[in-house]
C-alpha cells in the first residue's frame, strides 16, 4: 500500500490483543484513511468493525494489549503504556448507532448543541452561548428553538453529527448512521456527511452494511476487514462495484 503520511490518518504497525496469551486480533497491520471523503468500513459480523472504532477513539481497557503509531495530518502520536496520546484522541469524535442516547428530546436544538460543547452535562444556566447555528442544520430548515422531539429521523441524525462537531474534530466515526432511516432520510444524511467531509477536510469513517449506499457514496473504494483462519484481522481496500 502506497502511503501519503502527510494527509489524513495513518496507523502503522498496529498490534492488538484482548487478553494476554490470546492470539493477536491485529498483528502488525497498517492502514491509512484519507481526508475529504467518506471511507466506508465493511466486514462480516464479528470481524472487528466496532473494535476498530474503539481503538481509533482510544478506548483501550487495562486487560487489553495495544501498540501502534498514529499519524494525523503529519503529526505523530505514539501509544505509551497502552494509551493513545490525548492530543490525538481529543480530535476524534464518534456518533454512536443509538443516537437517542446522545439527544435530549425535551430540549431545543440550540440547547443540545450547547451541551455538546461541554465534557459534562451542566445546569442549563451555565451553558455557553451559541453564536450561530451550524450551516448544515440551517440548510435543512432546522431552527435553533425547534425541540428535538419534533425533528425527523434524518434531522436527528444530522443534529447528532453537528453536536460532535462542536468539539475539535479531525476524525469523525459514524456507526451505521442510516440503519433506522428510510431511503429519503438516508440520502439526506449521507449527502450531509459527504458535504461535511469535503468542506472541513475531515477523515470520516462510516460502518455500513448497506451495499447500495456504499456504492453510491464511496468515491472509489471501501475498506474491508478480513479475518484469517488464525483469527488475525487485516485491511483490504475494495474497489466500488467489485
Amino acid at each position: 500500500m502506497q502511503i501519503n503520511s502527510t494527509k489524513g490518518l495513518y496507523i502503522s504497525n498496529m498490534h492488538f490483543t484482548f487478553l494476554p496469551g490470546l492470539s493477536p486480533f491485529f498483528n502488525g497491520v497498517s492502514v491509512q484513511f484519507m481526508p475529504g471523503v467518506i471511507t466506508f468500513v465493511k466486514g462480516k459480523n464479528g470481524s472487528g468493525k466496532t473494535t476498530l472504532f474503539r481503538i481509533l477513539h482510544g478506548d483501550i481497557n487495562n486487560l487489553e494489549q495495544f501498540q501502534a503509531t498514529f499519524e494525523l495530518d503529519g503529526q505523530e502520536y505514539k501509544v505509551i503504556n497502552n494509551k493513545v496520546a490525548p492530543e490525538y484522541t481529543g480530535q476524534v469524535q464518534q456518533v454512536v448507532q443509538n443516537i437517542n442516547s446522545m439527544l435530549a428530546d425535551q430540549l431545543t436544538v440550540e440547547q443540545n448543541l450547547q451541551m455538546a460543547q461541554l465534557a459534562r452535562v451542566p445546569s442549563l444556566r451555565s451553558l455557553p452561548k451559541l453564536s450561530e447555528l451550524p450551516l448544515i442544520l440551517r440548510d435543512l430548515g432546522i431552527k435553533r428553538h425547534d425541540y428535538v422531539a419534533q425533528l425527523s429521523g434524518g434531522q436527528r441524525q444530522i443534529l447528532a453529527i453537528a453536536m460532535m462537531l462542536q468539539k475539535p474534530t479531525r476524525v469523525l466515526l459514524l456507526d451505521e448512521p442510516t440503519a433506522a432511516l428510510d431511503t429519503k432520510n438516508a440520502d439526506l444524511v449521507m449527502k450531509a456527511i459527504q458535504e461535511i467531509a469535503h468542506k472541513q477536510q475531515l477523515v470520516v469513517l462510516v460502518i455500513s452494511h448497506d451495499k447500495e449506499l456504499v456504492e453510491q457514496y464511496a468515491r472509489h473504494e471501501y475498506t474491508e476487514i478480513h479475518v484469517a483462519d488464525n483469527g488475525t484481522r487485516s485491511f483490504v481496500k475494495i474497489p466500488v462495484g467489485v
Side-chain angles (χ1 to χ4, degrees):
M1 178 173 61
Q2 185 176 4
I3 296 298
N4 183 350
S5 59
T6 63
K7 291 184 178 181
L9 174 61
Y10 176 46
I11 306 102
S12 61
N13 199 29
M14 178 164 62
H15 296 262
F16 178 81
T17 305
F18 285 106
L19 291 168
L22 292 183
S23 298
F25 195 81
F26 293 115
N27 190 18
V29 297
S30 299
V31 66
Q32 183 170 22
F33 303 108
M34 300 301 291
V37 297
I38 299 172
T39 297
F40 288 93
V41 179
K42 295 188 65 178
K44 296 179 180 179
N45 289 336
S47 62
K49 300 182 296 295
T50 301
T51 300
L52 173 64
F53 269 31
R54 188 161 61 81
I55 288 171
L56 296 179
H57 199 246
D59 300 329
I60 313 296
N61 69 46
N62 292 331
L63 293 178
E64 293 168 340
Q65 296 181 325
F66 180 52
Q67 293 179 341
T69 298
F70 289 73
E71 189 172 325
L72 180 59
D73 296 335
Q75 177 66 48
E76 187 176 281
Y77 304 93
K78 290 188 178 294
V79 175
I80 299 175
N81 295 328
N82 216 39
K83 300 296 181 184
V84 189
E87 292 81 7
Y88 160 79
T89 57
Q91 302 180 73
V92 181
Q93 308 303 335
Q94 180 171 3
V95 179
V96 298
Q97 185 172 350
N98 179 20
I99 60 168
N100 291 328
S101 65
M102 300 173 55
L103 303 175
D105 280 358
Q106 74 278 18
L107 300 181
T108 65
V109 168
E110 179 177 32
Q111 289 169 334
N112 275 263
L113 289 166
Q114 288 171 309
M115 287 198 299
Q117 297 179 31
L118 302 166
R120 298 176 182 173
V121 178
S123 68
L124 294 181
R125 287 176 292 181
S126 64
L127 289 177
K129 291 183 179 180
L130 186 71
S131 59
E132 190 175 34
L133 204 64
L135 180 62
I136 198 69
L137 298 180
R138 286 183 278 140
D139 285 347
L140 296 175
I142 299 173
K143 299 178 177 61
R144 64 172 64 212
H145 298 305
D146 289 344
Y147 282 93
V148 173
Q150 300 172 320
L151 302 181
S152 70
Q155 289 174 326
R156 290 168 66 87
Q157 183 70 53
I158 294 170
L159 172 59
I161 294 170
M163 287 168 61
M164 290 298 95
L165 296 179
Q166 297 302 299
K167 303 173 183 179
T169 307
R170 295 301 307 142
V171 180
L172 181 63
L173 309 176
L174 303 168
D175 188 355
E176 295 280 4
T178 63
L181 303 178
D182 58 25
T183 301
K184 180 180 178 180
N185 276 286
D187 284 336
L188 181 77
V189 169
M190 291 310 304
K191 287 176 181 176
I193 295 170
Q194 197 173 49
E195 182 177 350
I196 290 168
H198 175 68
K199 286 189 174 180
Q200 300 189 31
Q201 285 297 293
L202 302 182
V203 174
V204 177
L205 274 64
V206 175
I207 292 176
S208 178
H209 292 92
D210 190 326
K211 182 179 179 181
E212 292 183 4
L213 198 76
V214 172
E215 292 183 350
Q216 182 176 354
Y217 288 99
R219 176 173 289 183
H220 301 298
E221 62 185 16
Y222 61 89
T223 298
E224 185 164 291
I225 301 177
H226 280 196
V227 184
D229 291 340
N230 64 359
T232 60
R233 272 65 173 171
S234 61
F235 299 103
V236 180
K237 300 291 186 178
I238 308 291
V240 173
V242 174

